[in-house]
């Protein structure tokens, strides 16, 4: 009997691919049954049905790995629950290396896997061939074996999830097209369809390639773009059997899996072919694009080298199915900052089958709890802004992101396409002075400056890269004289109104209701006591505060603050990022230089640490905030954008005779790590609290009115020494480079993972911040009584743990 079409539901999910079905399944498991799923065609008919179905567990971020580990568990159990086969096969996977550099990647991957609890083994080419007999191995340097990986049938898996959903009373309607999203006062209220309107408290956009279009119906940015993704299916090949592992050959851009005695072979070519520039047709259901053997040639050539039998094998089918890709190759999850109760799960970059189980559970938990239950920043929708939804920019960027699946993951690798995007007022000045630019949140930022005879282009490597000596110069200038950093990309949020102080004091962990002219470093914590952000609050007036936060965090932090301002409070928040440039003048001579340009009293008594004053700088009037991220005397100069060039020129002129030098973000990173300063999204995450981070000093536990996360912190403090902690390490041997992600061992046993690392030229060795864990507590005795090492691409190096910062300016700095 046909179901009556609903007029209301608690949740409406738009899209019946594997993600939509997974979200519905997990909502129903959490007890939410008043859920309606709408699919414009048939279930799995968009992108899901033609997916290759590979499930590889390991990702660079531990929580992303845990999502896929959960997927493998779910897929292995689903058939027993629903009675419908999923095609899940735990066949394992082999990844091979054609070059020494790729072998370094695989060895680094193995160490990361051990840190994340994933089974992995580094094996020889011959051992790889024993596991995968049909490949040629003469050109291989080695391989890794992951026994927990597998494959699934995407359509069967979707139908099995859908049956689990229906069994719990969730309603699924196929052949229903969503034509609009309704909202009132900034909150979603339902969906309009070609069969009528459904009122809903929550709407979830899992529309796959159409997710961007659905977002545009209600002013929500979902930055993704389709690209063609191709694979072939062969006839039977001798030596191919049903238990054959998945095989990846990233140097050849290709992957293989067994199917009915033959092989599925596809890949991710370095330059992709975007599709659907004029929009994706609504009726593009169980459809494919025309064969394109010219585009596929680079993959086919590599495949013939790896599997010579392909030359004489039958090609039964060529699949060219478009899939949606995002600007950074990570999927999009979470509540849209533009519209309350409108959630998105889309843009899975050919990883939808592997991620669907875990991502569906994570999004369902986010919906039920009203906040994420774990650190999901790599896939959080708030990492993007409205400008990332520009169609031409997306088209050009997606050409590159598809290929990132198998591109060499060099340390500090920058994307090249669709740049320059956002430029500081100083961009041309810095380019003329030899800046080599990187990109963050679209901003072009100077990473390092080429000297005389050097070219401002990064030559990637796993050892010391070609900017090593340039960064040494910049660090020395900052430690011994002065460095000037263009930090215009900092996000700036103006919070003002009668209730601003009270609202911020509840949102911030530190005391914010301080004297006018004070600046406060603070965390924004969630209910679990973990960091949603860390930032600096400048009190400019009784009712006006300027918040300076990280470049990537403008949308995220503004959304977090707005959501936590009481609805009846007299407070407004305005993103003023583009209104101000930021020039950080740092180093022991910074007072001398700034003093030549201002009438302000810069003495320690008149202008102490953690204060902000509006001062004259040359012809400009700007805010000077005495704060440091490098461990030296210095000021962050917050300059109206139109005065930025003038202030820069004046500072350069004033500092020329005392050794002022332009410095980039690579030097800044190494300087902050020498001093042990934490960074959000690495050492500070929604899963890490201030006691674990070593930042208890930035928490006012007893301030009147309390703050978000206080209860969790009181409970954490009562437990004594935290069971995990951010710890600073230096490598005893001065030669190795650390990049982050390395395994940390204590007395030979894995205890943690490096979160950030750089070469500390002041210290003469690599320096890192790592998250170290131990069930009975990470205290002074634990850190001083054990023998610590880091594993770097299979080789172990002794490291020293520091209880106080490794860089002590009193004893180490060379006087200028």
């Amino acid at each position: 009997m046909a179901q009556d079409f609903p007029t209301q539901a608690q949740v409406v999910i738009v899209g019946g691919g594997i993600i939509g079905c997974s979200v519905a399944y997990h909502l129903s498991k959490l007890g939410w049954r008043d859920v309606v799923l709408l699919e414009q065609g048939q279930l799995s008919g968009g992108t899901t049905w033609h997916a290759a179905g590979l499930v590889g567990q390991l990702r660079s971020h531990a929580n992303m790995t845990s999502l896929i580990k959960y997927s493998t568990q779910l897929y292995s159990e689903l058939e027993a629950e629903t009675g419908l086969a999923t095609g899940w096969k735990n066949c394992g996977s082999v990844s091979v290396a054609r070059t020494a550099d790729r072998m370094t990647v695989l060895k680094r991957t193995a160490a990361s896997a051990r840190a994340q609890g994933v089974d992995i083994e580094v094996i020889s080419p011959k051992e790889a061939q024993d596991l995968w007999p049909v490949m040629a191995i003469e050109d291989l340097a080695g391989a890794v074996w992951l026994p927990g990986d597998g494959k699934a049938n995407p359509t069967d898996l979707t139908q099995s999830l859908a049956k689990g959903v229906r069994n719990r009373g969730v309603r699924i309607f196929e052949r229903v097209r969503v034509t609009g999203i309704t909202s009132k006062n900034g909150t979603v209220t339902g969906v309009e369809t070609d069969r009528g309107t459904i009122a809903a408290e929550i709407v979830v956009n899992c529309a796959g390639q159409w997710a961007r279009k659905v977002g545009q119906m209600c002013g929500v940015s979902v930055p993704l773009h389709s690209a063609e993704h191709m694979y072939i299916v062969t006839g039977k090949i001798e030596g191919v059997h049903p238990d054959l592992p998945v095989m990846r050959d990233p140097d050849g851009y290709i992957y293989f899996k067994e199917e009915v005695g033959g092989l599925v072979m596809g890949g991710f070519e370095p330059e992709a072919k975007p599709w659907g520039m004029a929009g994706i047709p609504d009726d593009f259901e169980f459809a494919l694009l025309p064969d394109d053997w010219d585009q596929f040639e680079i993959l086919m050539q590599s495949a013939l080298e790896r599997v010579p039998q392909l030359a004489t094998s039958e090609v039964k089918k060529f699949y060219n199915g478009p899939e949606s890709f995002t600007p950074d190759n990570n999927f999009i999850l979470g509540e849209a900052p533009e519209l309350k109760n409108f959630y998105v799960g889309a843009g899975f970059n050919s990883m939808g089958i592997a991620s669907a189980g875990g991502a569906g559970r994570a999004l369902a938990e986010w919906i039920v709890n009203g906040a994420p239950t774990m650190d999901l920043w790599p896939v959080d929708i708030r990492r993007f802004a409205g400008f990332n939804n520009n169609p031409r920019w997306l088209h050009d960027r997606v050409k590159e992101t598809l290929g990132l699946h198998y591109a060499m993951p060099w340390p500090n690798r920058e994307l090249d396409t669709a740049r320059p995007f956002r430029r500081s007022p100083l961009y041309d000045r810095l380019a003329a002075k030899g800046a080599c630019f990187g990109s963050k949140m679209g901003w072009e930022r100077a990473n390092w400056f080429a000297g005389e005879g050097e070219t401002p282009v990064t030559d990637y490597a796993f050892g010391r890269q070609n900017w090593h000596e340039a960064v040494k110069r910049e660090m020395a200038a900052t430690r011994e004289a002065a460095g000037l950093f263009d930090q215009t990309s900092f996000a700036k949020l103006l919070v003002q109104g009668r209730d601003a102080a009270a609202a911020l004091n509840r949102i911030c962990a530190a005391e914010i209701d301080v004297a006018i002219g004070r600046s406060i470093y603070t965390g924004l914590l969630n209910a679990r006591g973990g960091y949603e952000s860390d930032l600096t609050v400048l009190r400019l007036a009784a009712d006006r505060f300027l918040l300076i936060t990280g470049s990537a965090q403008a949308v995220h932090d503004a959304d977090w603050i707005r959501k936590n301002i009481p609805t009846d409070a007299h407070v407004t928040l305005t993103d003023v990022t583009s209104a101000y440039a930021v020039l950080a003048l740092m180093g022991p001579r910074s007072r001398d230089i700034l003093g030549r340009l201002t009438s302000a009293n810069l003495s320690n008594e008149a202008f102490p640490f953690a204060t902000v004053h509006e001062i004259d700088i040359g012809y400009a009037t700007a805010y000077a905030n005495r704060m440091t991220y490098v461990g030296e005397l210095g000021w962050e100069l917050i300059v109206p954008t139109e005065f930025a060039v003038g202030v820069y020129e004046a500072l350069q002129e004033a500092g020329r005779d005392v050794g002022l030098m332009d410095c980039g973000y690579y030097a800044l990173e190494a300087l902050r790590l020498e001093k042990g300063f934490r960074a959000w999204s690495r050492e500070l995450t929604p899963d890490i609290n201030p006691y674990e981070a070593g930042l208890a000093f930035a928490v006012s536990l007893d301030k009147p009115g309390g703050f978000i996360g206080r209860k969790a912190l009181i409970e954490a403090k009562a437990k004594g020494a935290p069971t995990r902690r951010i710890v600073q390490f230096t490598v005893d041997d001065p030669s190795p480079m650390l990049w982050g992600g390395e395994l940390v061992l204590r007395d030979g046993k894995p205890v943690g993972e490096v979160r950030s690392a750089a070469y500390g030229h002041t210290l003469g060795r690599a320096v890192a911040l790592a998250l170290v864990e131990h069930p009975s507590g990470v205290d002074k005795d634990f850190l001083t009584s054990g023998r610590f090492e880091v594993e770097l691409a299979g080789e172990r190096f002794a490291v020293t743990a520091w209880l106080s910062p490794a860089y002590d300016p009193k004893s180490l700095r060379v006087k200028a």
Side-chain angles (χ1 to χ4, degrees):
M1 191 176 88
Q3 296 182 85
D4 291 335
F5 193 73
T7 57
Q8 61 184 53
Q10 185 179 11
V11 182
V12 172
I13 298 171
V14 182
I18 190 166
I19 304 301
C21 289
S22 180
V23 173
Y25 175 86
H26 288 96
L27 281 172
S28 68
K29 278 193 85 169
L30 291 168
W32 284 32
R33 308 293 167 86
D34 185 14
V35 177
V36 169
L37 186 148
L38 306 176
E39 163 56 45
Q40 66 179 354
Q42 290 177 262
L43 294 183
S44 80
T47 298
T48 299
W49 74 276
H50 60 70
L54 311 185
V55 183
Q57 301 169 85
L58 195 60
R59 297 290 181 265
S60 60
H61 187 281
N63 283 2
M64 299 303 101
T65 299
S66 75
L67 294 184
I68 300 173
K69 285 172 76 174
Y70 169 76
S71 292
T72 64
Q73 177 192 335
L74 173 67
Y75 301 164
S76 68
E77 298 168 353
L78 203 54
E79 184 176 351
E81 178 193 331
T82 66
L84 290 183
T86 62
W88 166 250
K89 193 170 191 66
N90 176 203
C91 56
S93 77
V94 176
S95 291
V96 301
R98 299 188 184 204
T99 66
D101 279 334
R102 182 68 68 176
M103 199 60 220
T104 297
V105 172
L106 295 186
K107 287 176 179 175
R108 287 175 60 85
T109 297
S112 181
R114 290 180 63 206
Q116 297 179 35
V118 174
D119 285 342
I120 192 167
E121 187 182 346
V122 178
I123 58 176
S124 67
K126 179 65 178 70
E127 290 170 315
Q129 190 179 48
D130 291 343
L131 289 163
W132 218 81
V134 289
M135 71 166 147
I137 60 170
E138 295 76 18
D139 61 335
L140 295 184
V144 291
W145 161 241
L146 288 102
D149 285 358
K151 60 183 180 178
N153 181 304
T155 300
D156 290 351
L157 193 51
T158 305
Q159 293 293 347
S160 187
L161 284 166
K163 185 170 183 187
V165 162
R166 290 186 178 108
N167 287 347
R168 293 195 189 91
V170 170
R171 294 165 290 172
I172 295 176
F173 294 88
E174 297 178 297
R175 304 279 172 220
V176 177
R177 182 157 296 149
V178 171
T179 56
I181 307 292
T182 60
S183 63
K184 185 177 181 181
N185 298 329
T187 302
V188 77
T189 56
V191 297
E192 296 170 340
T193 79
D194 55 5
R195 288 183 59 182
T197 298
I198 307 175
E201 296 171 27
I202 289 166
V203 175
V204 190
N205 176 4
C206 297
Q209 294 183 100
W210 294 269
R212 183 174 180 272
K213 175 183 172 183
V214 171
Q216 286 177 313
M217 293 176 182
C218 54
V220 169
S221 293
V222 185
L224 51 81
H225 199 293
S226 290
E228 300 186 18
H229 181 220
M230 304 165 206
Y231 62 85
I232 58 170
V233 182
T234 75
K236 290 195 173 183
I237 293 177
E238 188 179 346
V240 173
H241 55 83
D243 295 320
L244 195 72
V246 170
M247 204 276 277
R248 296 178 177 85
D249 178 2
D251 293 312
Y253 320 115
I254 50 175
Y255 60 77
F256 300 85
K257 74 163 187 173
E258 181 274 341
E259 190 165 293
V260 201
L263 290 173
V264 169
M265 186 283 286
F268 299 96
E269 64 273 28
E271 185 165 343
K273 190 177 172 188
W275 178 75
M277 278 63 74
I280 314 297
D282 288 336
D283 58 357
F284 193 82
E285 180 189 359
F286 293 109
L288 293 171
L289 302 175
D291 298 358
D292 188 341
W293 284 98
D294 289 340
Q295 181 74 11
F296 197 69
E297 182 181 8
I298 187 171
L299 305 181
M300 195 69 207
Q301 195 58 48
S302 291
L304 288 166
E305 293 165 6
R306 188 58 51 232
V307 183
Q309 282 176 261
L310 281 177
T312 55
S313 300
E314 174 197 7
V315 175
K316 291 171 67 176
K317 181 74 177 170
F318 188 115
Y319 284 86
N320 183 3
E323 299 191 26
S324 50
F325 291 83
T326 65
D328 63 359
N329 211 30
N330 281 328
F331 55 88
I332 298 171
L333 215 62
E335 185 180 13
E338 302 97 332
L339 185 61
K340 188 172 171 55
N341 291 344
F342 184 85
Y343 289 80
V344 177
F348 278 82
N349 304 287
S350 288
M351 294 183 288
I353 307 307
S355 301
R361 184 186 69 173
L363 189 54
E365 289 175 350
W366 193 330
I367 291 165
V368 170
N369 292 304
T373 56
M374 63 194 301
D375 175 18
L376 294 170
W377 178 243
V379 296
D380 193 313
I381 190 170
R382 294 168 295 181
R383 74 190 188 274
F384 294 124
F387 51 72
N388 292 117
N389 213 25
N390 177 291
R392 180 169 296 187
W393 183 81
L394 282 170
H395 169 275
D396 291 354
R397 171 53 60 90
V398 158
K399 289 181 183 177
E400 183 177 17
T401 54
L402 178 142
L404 293 178
H405 278 279
Y406 290 164
M408 190 69 77
W410 297 113
N412 293 336
R413 184 191 176 105
E414 296 281 354
L415 300 187
D416 299 320
T417 49
R419 289 178 58 192
F421 192 35
R422 302 172 81 187
R423 289 180 246 194
S424 139
L426 304 177
Y427 175 81
D428 289 342
R429 293 284 195 293
L430 302 183
K433 295 178 87 170
C436 179
F437 291 97
S439 176
K440 190 161 191 178
M441 196 57 172
W443 286 101
E444 295 294 324
R445 311 195 312 175
N447 281 338
W448 59 279
F449 286 84
E452 198 73 37
E454 296 172 346
T455 306
V457 175
T458 295
D459 296 331
Y460 293 120
F462 287 103
R464 296 182 180 184
Q465 296 184 359
N466 63 315
W467 43 260
H468 190 79
E469 291 301 313
V471 169
K472 182 179 181 178
R473 291 193 299 267
E474 294 169 27
M475 291 179 69
T478 306
R479 294 278 186 236
E480 297 164 18
L484 188 59
F485 301 82
D486 178 14
Q487 295 187 279
T488 298
S489 65
F490 272 159
K492 303 129 196 141
L493 307 173
L494 186 64
V495 178
Q496 51 192 340
R498 184 181 61 228
D499 301 322
L504 281 176
N505 225 6
R506 188 181 154 274
I507 293 167
C508 298
E511 177 60 67
I512 300 303
D513 195 1
V514 296
I516 295 167
R518 283 282 311 281
S519 53
I520 308 102
Y521 169 71
T522 184
L524 310 187
L525 308 182
N526 55 38
R528 296 179 285 130
Y531 279 90
E532 287 298 323
S533 186
D534 74 321
L535 45 75
T536 305
V537 179
L538 314 182
R539 186 161 203 177
L540 305 181
D543 60 353
R544 191 165 79 255
F545 297 81
L546 184 64
L547 280 53
I548 312 288
T549 187
S551 305
Q553 292 147 248
V555 175
H556 172 278
D557 288 6
D559 180 63
W560 178 262
I561 292 165
R562 283 193 183 104
K563 280 184 175 141
N564 285 293
I565 293 173
T567 52
D568 59 349
H570 192 279
V571 183
T572 60
L573 183 151
T574 312
D575 186 333
V576 293
T577 298
S578 298
Y580 295 98
V582 177
L583 288 168
L585 177 66
M586 298 287 156
R589 302 300 297 269
S590 56
R591 182 180 278 122
D592 305 342
I593 295 167
L594 192 56
R596 296 174 178 182
L597 298 172
T598 183
S599 61
N601 185 345
L602 302 178
S603 69
N604 209 44
E605 296 72 32
F607 208 140
F609 183 76
T611 55
V612 58
H613 296 304
E614 192 171 49
I615 67 170
D616 55 294
I617 310 172
Y619 294 146
T621 303
Y623 293 111
N625 178 39
R626 191 165 159 209
M627 193 68 76
T628 176
Y629 199 44
V630 303
E632 300 292 344
L633 173 70
W635 282 265
E636 292 170 351
L637 306 174
I638 301 150
V639 184
T641 301
E642 66 271 31
F643 288 102
V645 171
V647 170
Y648 174 79
E649 291 173 340
L651 287 168
Q652 289 290 348
E653 182 62 32
R656 184 172 289 121
D657 64 335
V658 296
L660 177 66
M661 184 178 285
D662 287 292
C663 300
Y665 272 84
Y666 288 174
L668 188 75
E669 176 77 350
L671 290 161
R672 72 103 180 167
L673 285 169
E674 288 187 334
K675 192 63 180 163
F677 291 145
R678 280 53 168 154
W680 193 78
S681 85
R682 284 179 283 172
E683 290 79 47
L684 309 180
T685 78
D687 296 337
I688 292 175
N689 71 42
Y691 300 123
E692 295 164 334
L695 295 176
F697 71 88
V699 175
S700 298
L701 210 56
D702 300 324
K703 67 176 174 176
F707 56 90
I708 298 166
R710 179 177 180 269
K711 183 172 179 286
L713 291 193
I714 289 171
E715 291 170 1
K717 191 176 183 182
K719 291 177 182 173
T723 57
R724 54 190 197 150
R725 195 164 151 186
I726 298 295
V727 179
Q728 186 186 40
F729 291 99
T730 54
V731 183
D732 296 353
D733 182 338
S735 55
M737 291 287 291
L738 300 184
W739 297 106
E742 293 85 3
L743 179 67
V744 178
L745 305 105
R746 182 182 183 270
D747 298 335
K749 295 175 183 170
V751 291
E753 183 182 31
V754 172
R755 290 300 181 97
S756 301
Y759 197 86
H761 286 282
T762 322
L763 304 171
R765 59 200 65 243
V767 58
L769 290 174
L771 182 64
V772 174
E773 305 191 43
H774 189 250
S776 59
V778 181
D779 55 14
K780 182 178 179 181
D781 180 63
F782 179 81
L783 293 173
T784 55
S785 62
R787 179 177 53 86
F788 285 92
E789 298 170 294
V790 292
E791 185 174 316
L792 180 60
E795 192 174 352
R796 293 183 182 181
F797 294 91
V799 294
T800 299
W802 292 82
L803 300 174
S804 57
Y807 171 67
D808 177 1
K810 295 185 185 71
S811 61
L812 282 173
R813 188 171 69 219
V814 179
K815 295 292 181 189

